[in-house]
Amino acid sequence: METNYDVIVIGAGPAGYEAAIRASQLGLKTACIDKSLGLDGKPVLGGTCLNWGCIPSKALLDASHKYVEAKDHFAEIGIKTGKVEIDVPAMIERKAAVVKQLTGGIASLFQGNGVDALAGTGKLLSGCNVEFSPHEGDAVVMEAEHVILAPGSVPVDIGAAPLDGDAIVDSTGALEFDAVPKRLGVIGAGVIGLELGSVWSRLGSEVVVLEALDEFLPMADDRVARDALKTFSKQGLDIRLGTRVIESVVGKKGVTIKYQDKDGDQTMEVDKLIVAVGRRPYTQGLLAPDSGVNLDERGFLYVNDLCATDAPNVYAVGDVVRGPMLAHKGMEEGIMVAERIAGHKPLVNYDCVPSVIYTHPEIAWVGKTEAELKASGEAYNVGQFPFAASGRAMAANDTDGFVKIIADAQTDRILGVHIIGLQASELIAQAVIAMEFDASAEDLGLTMFAHPTLGEAVHEAALGVSGNAIHMVNRKKK
Ligand code: FAD
Ligand code: NAD
């Protein structure tokens, strides 16, 4: 077995596999070690994102959305259906097929780009030495010029709801239910709680979401969060803020949850309980005591702006380092590090990381919120355009939400864009591109958008920053 490499990557999630492919493309001899096993017990590439995260959750979100459309909304647009039924095992099987196709795609990309995929566990020793323990056989010590650590993250567990792998599950278990639970509890009204809560609610579960904070989606724009709470509640998600779960006991008929809210002690019975209270960096068994890599106070691998750790030639990227736990953030870090190792000088623009919540309507944003700007005292102007005034949204029978653009009061530079509505996940890319190029709201207003598109709402919101929107009555600007 080959044991000398220019680059060894530990972890083949989006951060690690993109780093490995880019390094190999740039002529560096590269190996990528990953220990994940799929449901069939065979090694799989792609990490959390492809196997238990972004992709399978979106497969179920899309399927469950289509079910709601067919059941509740086709008649509104003149399509008659017979009785619309769901087949959960078929839905789960299709999701697994999508995952398999994509993880197999990474294996082909590794092969095509000359990356050696090694199935097993990697541990960083001192220098740039790595101990590789294959799933079968003896460990070997490998040498590299550079090491990139990309071991990702795992769900946080809480004592008040210990997982039993059946009735109380984390996000991974919630992607595998074989039937629709009649009553479903979710702890945590964050991204996973809302996405997976929506999936099972659409398929017919009575869903109660218990959230510790008094505020809903505090990281999002206030108005977006308010609208979202109203809409999700109408859709059937019973979101209870300011709750503290004390205990969850699994019995013959499901789970009894004891929690406290402003009115005192409460009890609730559910058939299944999803715990979705955040994720934590995963570093178990990753570092030998003399690896030279340090952790920060929150348990993340400590890195500088260029993702360099404290150990020479050792980098860390993705969920295991500071910043949002998002696949695309890790991908950009992985590519940056590979290119820097090869002598190029790219940077990651951490001010332009888009966030998306794939509910319906979708929520997406990039840059600053009004609350952040108020707190820092920066003067700004706002343009906002509702999808209710968009011809394309009306044609699509889907007019909830709006686009809000915030621009600097002096320079007109776009500081933040917040969208709730149909295809917000796609529309936000327009804002990211504009912000990457330091565009002003006027620049976006002078740009031609195809008609009729949802993107025209972005255009109109940009025009609205200076009070010049065409398809709505502008508020007078001071
Ligand atoms: P991971 O994807 O976690 O991959 C790390 C890999 O390293 C794993 O395969 C792990 O087994 C392996 N590994 C760890 N330690 C070792 C070791 N010592 N030796 C060998 N291998 C090791 N993000 C988005 O941007 N959009 C979404 O829509 C989205 N949806 C999500 C939905 C769910 C349900 C979940 C749970 C997450 C979602 N995320 C989403 C988050 C996204 O999955 C993560 O941000 C992303 O996977 C992190 O990538 P990573 O490469 O850092 O780590
Ligand atoms: P999160 O941080 O988004 O939300 C966790 C929620 O749980 C928070 O609202 C928190 O206040 C609440 N909480 C924490 N402890 C609690 C307790 N004891 N009782 C009740 N509520 C409690 O975390 P998540 O939803 O688990 O997602 C984990 C990570 O995965 C996130 O960082 C996210 O970025 C990523 N992710 C992203 C996407 C996406 O991009 N669409 C989708 C899924 C996950």
Side-chain angles (χ1 to χ4, degrees):
M1 168 188 172
E2 186 60 72
T3 55
N4 268 286
Y5 284 92
D6 293 324
V7 178
I8 294 178
V9 182
I10 300 181
Y17 83 67
E18 293 224 2
I21 290 172
R22 191 70 192 122
S24 207
Q25 284 174 345
L26 291 164
L28 300 163
K29 192 170 153 205
T30 305
C32 184
I33 303 173
D34 194 288
K35 66 180 176 185
S36 283
L37 298 173
L39 293 173
D40 58 3
K42 294 195 180 135
V44 282
L45 301 172
T48 306
C49 171
L50 267 62
N51 292 286
W52 307 282
C54 321
I55 299 301
S57 59
K58 268 77 244 178
L60 294 185
L61 278 157
D62 282 340
S64 58
H65 177 62
K66 288 191 164 100
Y67 169 63
V68 172
E69 284 289 290
K71 182 168 67 73
D72 297 339
H73 301 296
F74 273 13
E76 294 164 7
I77 56 171
I79 300 175
K80 283 189 187 164
T81 56
K83 189 170 178 231
V84 180
E85 288 177 77
I86 44 169
D87 178 345
V88 175
M91 218 177 256
I92 300 289
E93 209 173 294
R94 185 197 80 98
K95 175 220 53 160
V98 174
V99 168
K100 194 163 181 208
Q101 195 178 349
L102 281 166
T103 55
I106 305 296
S108 307
L109 286 172
F110 272 8
Q111 218 174 10
N113 284 287
V115 176
D116 288 344
L118 305 178
T121 303
K123 179 183 203 168
L124 180 70
L125 309 176
S126 64
C128 272
N129 295 327
V130 171
E131 180 186 88
F132 167 55
S133 307
H135 290 304
E136 280 164 26
D138 297 331
V140 284
V141 174
M142 306 171 62
E143 287 172 43
E145 297 292 323
H146 303 267
V147 174
I148 304 175
L149 303 171
S153 63
V154 287
V156 167
D157 40 26
I158 51 172
L163 307 187
D164 74 342
D166 178 31
I168 308 183
V169 296
D170 59 16
S171 56
T172 304
L175 294 166
E176 301 298 336
F177 292 156
D178 51 13
V180 179
K182 187 167 177 321
R183 298 160 308 171
L184 174 65
V186 180
I187 307 183
V191 192
I192 292 179
L194 293 174
E195 290 187 356
L196 294 182
S198 292
V199 165
W200 294 106
S201 160
R202 291 169 189 174
L203 298 178
S205 287
E206 292 159 23
V207 179
V208 177
V209 185
L210 300 174
E211 165 60 47
L213 298 178
D214 293 326
E215 200 184 339
F216 182 63
L217 289 181
M219 64 288 199
D221 170 82
D222 287 351
R223 166 91 195 273
V224 167
R226 261 200 322 274
D227 273 22
L229 182 57
K230 228 187 278 163
T231 308
F232 299 155
S233 304
K234 238 194 283 165
Q235 289 170 355
L237 289 183
D238 178 354
I239 299 169
R240 302 182 189 173
L241 301 173
T243 59
R244 197 166 79 86
V245 179
I246 315 277
E247 180 185 61
S248 313
V249 179
V250 180
K252 283 205 179 107
K253 286 192 176 161
V255 187
T256 306
I257 304 163
K258 289 193 178 148
Y259 68 94
Q260 288 174 335
D261 62 15
K262 62 178 179 6
D263 299 322
D265 292 340
Q266 312 289 350
T267 302
M268 181 173 91
E269 309 275 338
V270 295
D271 301 297
K272 299 272 186 194
L273 175 61
I274 303 173
V275 181
V277 294
R279 293 177 66 84
R280 61 181 169 82
Y282 180 57
T283 54
Q284 198 184 322
L286 177 74
L287 305 171
D290 58 352
S291 71
V293 172
N294 293 308
L295 306 189
D296 68 17
E297 63 288 351
R298 295 167 59 217
F300 291 86
L301 297 186
Y302 175 76
V303 289
N304 66 12
D305 286 353
L306 302 175
C307 293
T309 69
D310 288 335
N313 293 349
V314 177
Y315 303 84
V317 293
D319 279 10
V320 80
V321 303
R322 83 285 176 266
M325 286 183 165
L326 296 172
H328 41 282
K329 173 262 191 186
M331 290 172 177
E332 292 304 313
E333 289 178 333
I335 288 177
M336 171 186 73
V337 166
E339 296 203 345
R340 287 198 160 253
I341 290 171
H344 304 287
K345 301 282 177 221
L347 293 170
V348 169
N349 182 355
Y350 288 101
D351 292 335
C352 273
V353 181
S355 293
V356 178
I357 307 178
Y358 293 82
T359 42
H360 191 86
E362 291 181 340
I363 295 170
W365 70 91
V366 59
K368 299 203 167 144
T369 60
E370 281 197 74
E372 284 169 330
L373 291 166
K374 272 182 195 140
S376 64
E378 286 170 77
Y380 59 89
N381 291 322
V382 174
Q384 189 168 309
F385 190 81
F387 285 109
S390 150
R392 186 60 194 270
M394 269 183 247
N397 193 35
D398 207 330
T399 54
D400 280 345
F402 59 88
V403 177
K404 177 193 271 194
I405 297 186
I406 307 172
D408 186 285
Q410 264 79 51
T411 65
D412 195 38
R413 187 168 157 252
I414 300 171
L415 301 175
V417 178
H418 304 269
I419 307 177
I420 178 168
L422 181 62
Q423 291 187 26
S425 57
E426 300 293 338
L427 295 176
I428 201 67
Q430 303 175 356
V432 177
I433 295 168
M435 287 176 67
E436 269 291 339
F437 287 89
D438 263 338
S440 61
E442 185 185 27
D443 289 329
L444 208 48
L446 289 168
T447 305
M448 196 184 295
F449 284 67
H451 174 77
T453 56
L454 298 169
E456 288 174 301
V458 176
H459 187 225
E460 289 278 358
L463 292 169
V465 168
S466 50
N468 294 323
I470 300 294
H471 291 91
M472 66 174 192
V473 177
N474 294 283
R475 279 206 216 128
K476 276 212 176 92
K477 294 278 162 188
K478 284 180 228 151

